[in-house]
Amino acid sequence: MDWSLLTCARKGHITYAPDEPPLRRHLHVQTPVGEAWRCLRCGTYVHGEPHETGPAERAPLVKRGKELRDAFIMRFFAFERAVRGLIILLAAYGVWRFAASRGSIERIFEKEIPLLRPIAGQAGWDLDHSKIVESVQHVFDLRPATLRWLALALAVYALVELIEAVGLWLLKRWGEYFAVVATSFGLPVEIYELSERITAVRIGALIINVGLILYIVLTKRLFGVRGGRAAHEAHLRSGSLLEIEQAGHDTDLRRPDGVRTDTAQ
């Protein structure tokens, strides 16, 4: 998949006219219908005035190829975090409502259980020793204040997940740091849960979170890894400038007038 072409089709091209004459000639062609400038992202020549002009060193940091694929992956993680955050937020609301109406719910539960015993008995289900019933009864034993604190903790957890989602979706560096730190704090809890009981869901969640941490730290060069932020931005900028510098040597690019770039004067 050509991520550069796909992104340009969705967002539009990015053209830039460098002040340096040799580089400017590499990005510019004159056609019968007017001038055209080469897109820094996909390499296609686009008719009309360039979007920006200036020194080559100030060319926009355009994500291309692999960087665009990385952006897609980051937004996939952002979507996963957003869904998780909304689910936890709904759980927090449910616990809060339960704390306020625990008495009436408990009375309904105690009233209905005797009526369900004969039906459950025919199905071979012993309600008096059911783990589900015991868990519900244990919840009824909790104080309303404890339930409210639990609802508050869930709400804070949901807020953290939603902040992660926003930062990752917007591809902000603070969002990457926030996601790594917040996810790292949750790893001990996930490992402890696995030590109590191993399930496919818990293993999957742990793998996703460890993978997210390693992926972001390595590809985005966080915490000084692989040269840190300066190296990351230099990598992005070199991608854009390399496109400019190699434009004159690329012999198979499409031009609006159908002439190959190596024949352009």
Side-chain angles (χ1 to χ4, degrees):
M1 178 184 295
D2 192 327
W3 292 95
S4 298
L5 284 174
L6 183 64
T7 303
C8 282
R10 186 167 56 91
K11 293 185 176 181
H13 298 289
I14 299 177
T15 55
Y16 186 81
D19 292 340
E20 296 82 353
L23 299 180
R24 192 182 186 92
R25 287 195 298 269
H26 290 163
L27 291 179
H28 174 262
V29 292
Q30 195 67 36
T31 72
V33 294
E35 64 177 1
W37 294 86
R38 192 180 183 202
C39 175
L40 295 182
R41 182 188 288 125
C42 70
T44 301
Y45 281 94
V46 183
H47 286 101
E49 294 290 329
H51 294 127
E52 296 181 48
T53 61
E57 62 184 14
R58 295 184 182 176
L61 297 178
V62 181
K63 290 183 172 63
R64 304 173 61 247
K66 183 180 177 181
E67 291 294 334
L68 292 173
R69 183 202 62 189
D70 291 343
F72 175 81
I73 295 174
M74 297 295 285
R75 284 177 170 159
F76 169 79
F77 282 123
F79 178 77
E80 184 268 338
R81 288 299 192 263
V83 171
R84 184 191 298 187
L86 292 175
I87 293 174
I88 296 173
L89 193 61
L90 289 174
Y93 176 75
V95 172
W96 185 271
R97 293 282 300 180
F98 174 77
S101 308
R102 189 184 65 164
S104 58
I105 296 175
E106 185 175 7
R107 286 192 295 271
I108 294 173
F109 181 79
E110 292 177 348
K111 180 181 177 181
E112 297 298 331
I113 282 295
L115 299 178
L116 293 175
R117 280 195 179 96
I119 300 176
Q122 292 179 2
W125 185 17
D126 186 2
L127 288 182
D128 293 327
H129 299 88
S130 170
K131 291 292 184 182
I132 297 176
V133 175
E134 289 178 0
S135 299
V136 172
Q137 290 174 338
H138 176 68
V139 172
F140 286 140
D141 293 335
L142 297 176
R143 295 185 302 170
T146 303
L147 292 172
R148 292 190 181 94
W149 278 111
L150 176 60
L152 180 61
L154 288 172
V156 171
Y157 184 24
L159 180 62
V160 169
E161 294 290 303
L162 293 175
I163 292 175
E164 279 189 63
V166 171
L168 293 176
W169 186 267
L170 296 177
L171 305 176
K172 298 296 185 180
R173 196 161 181 84
W174 65 260
E176 296 162 359
Y177 273 105
F178 190 91
V180 169
V181 173
T183 305
S184 297
F185 275 119
L187 290 182
V189 177
E190 296 181 5
I191 294 173
Y192 174 75
E193 289 178 342
L194 277 175
S195 67
E196 289 190 327
R197 183 185 176 192
I198 298 177
T199 66
V201 173
R202 291 178 178 179
I203 294 175
L206 181 62
I207 292 175
I208 289 175
N209 288 330
V210 172
L212 172 64
I213 292 172
L214 294 176
Y215 181 82
I216 295 179
V217 169
L218 294 175
T219 60
K220 304 305 178 181
R221 306 172 191 246
L222 303 184
F223 305 104
V225 173
R226 298 175 61 204
R229 179 169 187 165
H232 179 63
E233 292 184 352
H235 173 70
L236 291 178
R237 186 169 295 281
S238 68
S240 291
L241 293 180
L242 185 62
E243 181 67 18
I244 296 175
E245 294 168 357
Q246 290 184 344
H249 306 289
D250 200 344
T251 61
D252 58 356
L253 293 174
R254 300 185 304 275
R255 287 167 51 104
D257 54 2
V259 181
R260 293 163 64 91
T261 55
D262 56 336
T263 63
Q265 300 295 325

